[in-house]
Amino acid sequence: MYSAKMPEGFLWGGAVAAHQLEGAWDVGGKGVSVADVMTVGSATKPREITDGVLPGKNYPNHSAIDFYHHYKEDIKLLAGMGFKAFRTSIAWTRIFPNGDDEQPSEAGLKFYDDLFDEMHKYGIEPVITLSHFEMPFNLAKNYGGFTNRKTIDFFVRFAEVCFKRYKDKVKYWMTFNEIDNQSAFNNDFLMATNSGILFKDGMTDEEKEAAMYQAAHYEFVASALAVKIGHKINPDFKIGLMINYSPVRPLTPSSADALLADKFEQHRDFFSDVQVFGEYPKAIEAYIEKHCYRPDITDEDRVVLKEGTVDYVAFSYYQSTTVSSEKVDPDDLSDLAKAVAVNPTLERSDWGWEIDPVGLRLALNHLTDRYHLPLFIVENGLGAYDKVEDGKIHDPYRIDYLKKHISEMEKAVAIDGVDLMGYLPWGPIDLVSAGTGQMDKRYGFIYVNKNDAGVGDLSRTPKDSYFWYKKVIESNGTDL
Ligand code: P53
């Protein structure tokens, strides 16, 4: 298997999000977030988004793996693999419980002070997402989330408080996690997690798409303002965007499929285009115009977008996307999901996610060619069922997946010259799945004893992959 030494200072580590592991959902004055009103689902059953926290429902994020009370033990275990960096998010509702509060909560700020100190004790660099699927529920329910211009101010206030408080503890920031997920504007889960939009029954697809373009625009402005303020607070900050990147390819060699693949990619890349170039791509301006969506975009907004462009491009990579024009006209991209086809050359995980290591090399090349900025892989991995046998967890499938992806990543760096900041695979310690709310969809190097029903003593056990990944880091990527 191909391997190459990564550059000096390469950030090996892992990535999580506050709401998926902290638990303690109402401790220290924390408010209710959109993640707190999502029930448990499964590979086939979507999570339900309830109107507030209702009795008798199973909300897995409420307790998660109780990282809030176990973080010292957990950071120590991660440090045992030689982690150089650890990505997590700051739960917005620990700092501003309702989102529109005048003053931040000291208890929330203190928790992250302690967490970052603990990481620095082991030489682990924090990589921090400001908004990772956990907007205050109050902003979603009573303000319409990011469809409301006021939410820009609430987010910017939150960002500014965090930048000021942690200016000497955190250098690497990201504004919005996977901001491009909402391109699937008729998916209730993705709209709630990205933008705090809770659709009312009976809304048409056109109304949903219009809401998405408006929310995305306000997020771009909020992100650009945060970048500007952050750089003033500490000029050494590196503030990035974050997308869920999936290289798109045609199912057949037909020109219709090729055109569709390009159009599909345009509709997803536009989220990163705006944050890197500080302006909307022509194709999207034309699309919005043609569909008469007319989002509120002011001249002043356009100046802000230009002034607040990002320092680097962070992305998650799980799978590539294959599209077919059989059911979709490339001039009518109102339902991107309908264009997606099964790629017959790839295997799939138990949750139907296609496994495509070479897709990661393609992603690194595409993003470098398009943006000419440093890249950062801040998620990658395989969600899988694990079995405990005699107290041990043998997970060769996870090692195999990661090994192949790291090898392709190393080709992109060593052969293709990609400027890559680091590799932070998803969920180094088992946590609650975002998509399904399950515990049994596991990504971790560290097993956490808790199942989908919420049963287990929360004990932590290193899996075989733990010792394998330690070797990879120790050898700076040469010993796969
Ligand atoms: P889970 C959808 C598509 C791709 C990535 O996902 C996604 C989602 C939302 O589920 O989420 C990212 O847990 C996200 C993480 C999430 C991870 O991928 O559904 O940034 O919060 O946990 C894996 O298996």
Side-chain angles (χ1 to χ4, degrees):
M1 171 143 331
Y2 180 90
S3 75
K5 208 181 189 67
M6 288 299 94
E8 183 119 347
F10 189 78
L11 295 171
W12 292 100
V16 301
H19 68 103
Q20 289 172 261
L21 87 169
E22 285 178 5
W25 71 291
D26 58 355
V27 176
K30 182 183 167 296
V32 177
S33 78
V34 291
D36 292 321
V37 300
M38 293 190 187
T39 64
V40 71
S42 72
T44 49
K45 188 176 137 237
R47 305 181 74 172
E48 189 191 342
I49 305 169
T50 59
D51 186 17
V53 174
L54 306 181
K57 299 270 183 192
N58 178 355
Y59 297 107
N61 302 67
H62 287 193
S63 52
I65 63 162
D66 198 26
F67 178 79
Y68 187 83
H69 295 107
H70 288 74
Y71 73 90
K72 288 194 177 168
E73 169 196 346
D74 292 341
I75 297 297
K76 190 172 177 197
L77 277 166
L78 298 173
M81 280 182 279
F83 268 36
K84 314 280 184 230
F86 180 55
R87 172 183 178 226
T88 187
S89 59
I90 296 176
W92 190 341
T93 50
R94 285 202 194 283
I95 313 301
F96 289 99
N98 306 295
D100 56 0
D101 319 71
E102 287 294 324
Q103 294 303 322
S105 148
E106 179 53 31
L109 288 166
K110 171 87 170 51
F111 170 70
Y112 293 102
D113 259 324
D114 295 346
L115 173 62
F116 301 151
D117 287 345
E118 197 64 21
M119 288 160 65
H120 284 300
K121 215 165 101 183
Y122 298 97
I124 298 176
E125 192 70 46
V127 177
I128 300 303
T129 322
L130 287 165
S131 179
H132 192 135
F133 301 173
E134 49 210 357
M135 175 189 282
F137 182 65
N138 174 49
L139 296 187
K141 176 150 170 96
N142 299 317
Y143 290 84
F146 264 106
T147 59
N148 189 333
R149 193 178 266 278
K150 282 191 193 139
T151 302
I152 298 178
D153 296 338
F154 298 136
F155 174 81
V156 171
R157 174 156 42 170
F158 164 58
E160 187 169 2
V161 163
C162 294
F163 288 153
K164 281 195 175 141
R165 177 80 172 217
Y166 309 119
K167 75 174 174 17
D168 300 318
K169 296 187 185 183
V170 177
K171 178 175 171 192
Y172 300 101
W173 299 89
M174 279 162 270
T175 49
F176 291 97
N177 183 63
E178 291 188 342
I179 191 168
D180 56 329
N181 280 355
Q182 55 194 316
S183 57
F185 58 82
N186 46 14
N187 179 309
D188 288 356
F189 169 79
L190 298 174
M191 294 312 291
T193 49
N194 258 178
S195 297
I197 299 179
L198 308 168
F199 286 133
K200 309 218 164 31
D201 288 343
M203 266 175 90
T204 64
D205 273 359
E206 283 72 24
E207 286 165 339
K208 291 180 179 180
E209 192 171 26
M212 182 278 279
Y213 277 111
Q214 187 62 74
H217 177 69
Y218 289 152
E219 282 156 31
F220 296 146
V221 174
S223 175
L225 286 169
V227 170
K228 282 178 62 174
I229 292 168
H231 284 153
K232 262 202 209 117
I233 293 171
N234 184 346
D236 290 336
F237 277 174
K238 300 283 176 222
I239 310 174
L241 62 82
M242 194 312 193
I243 48 170
N244 165 10
Y245 191 70
S246 178
V248 184
R249 68 181 67 143
L251 179 65
T252 75
S254 79
S255 296
D257 279 5
L259 179 65
L260 178 64
D262 264 29
K263 285 274 152 203
F264 191 106
E265 195 147 311
Q266 249 171 10
H267 273 249
R268 288 205 61 117
D269 286 354
F270 117 80
F271 294 88
S272 35
D273 289 348
V274 176
Q275 290 177 281
V276 172
F277 301 131
E279 60 186 40
Y280 278 67
K282 291 241 171 356
I284 299 302
E285 296 267 23
Y287 184 88
I288 290 172
E289 178 78 28
K290 176 169 172 258
H291 290 259
C292 302
Y293 288 143
R294 301 190 206 297
D296 163 37
I297 302 178
T298 65
D299 290 344
E300 206 186 334
D301 290 348
R302 294 195 190 265
V303 174
V304 169
L305 295 183
K306 265 283 177 215
E307 290 173 348
T309 55
V310 293
D311 300 318
Y312 66 94
V313 171
F315 67 103
S316 61
Y317 174 75
Y318 290 95
Q319 54 185 335
S320 52
T321 300
T322 303
V323 296
S324 159
S325 58
E326 204 159 276
K327 286 182 250 147
V328 175
D329 169 359
D331 283 325
D332 174 17
L333 282 183
S334 51
D335 193 347
L336 290 181
K338 255 201 268 165
V340 177
V342 171
N343 185 322
T345 68
L346 300 174
E347 285 179 13
R348 274 166 288 283
S349 78
D350 288 334
W351 281 262
W353 294 25
E354 287 178 340
I355 300 172
D356 184 10
V358 178
L360 178 56
R361 184 173 177 189
L362 282 166
L364 289 160
N365 275 276
H366 285 190
L367 290 170
T368 296
D369 289 348
R370 198 172 179 100
Y371 298 129
H372 300 197
L373 282 178
L375 304 180
F376 203 166
I377 301 171
V378 297
E379 288 184 35
N380 172 231
L382 175 74
Y385 293 105
D386 287 330
K387 259 212 258 30
V388 187
E389 289 163 303
D390 294 333
K392 293 211 166 26
I393 301 96
H394 303 299
D395 55 348
Y397 36 89
R398 183 167 293 110
I399 295 173
D400 182 64
Y401 177 101
L402 293 170
K403 195 185 275 194
K404 288 178 176 152
H405 283 77
I406 292 174
S407 179
E408 292 301 324
M409 165 186 96
E410 294 185 348
K411 285 182 199 165
V413 173
I415 301 175
D416 306 326
V418 165
D419 179 3
L420 185 62
M421 296 160 68
Y423 179 69
L424 308 177
W426 181 250
I429 181 163
D430 291 344
L431 37 59
V432 176
S433 154
T436 69
Q438 291 175 278
M439 267 307 301
D440 282 328
K441 186 182 187 190
R442 296 173 188 275
Y443 290 84
F445 302 116
I446 301 161
Y447 185 87
V448 178
N449 182 14
K450 184 176 183 181
N451 64 19
D452 287 351
V455 178
D457 65 6
L458 289 180
S459 58
R460 276 69 165 149
T461 310
K463 306 177 192 177
D464 286 357
S465 54
Y466 180 95
F467 303 98
W468 167 80
Y469 193 46
K470 179 177 164 38
K471 238 177 21 156
V472 174
I473 298 178
E474 236 163 40
S475 65
N476 199 8
T478 53
D479 191 358
L480 300 185

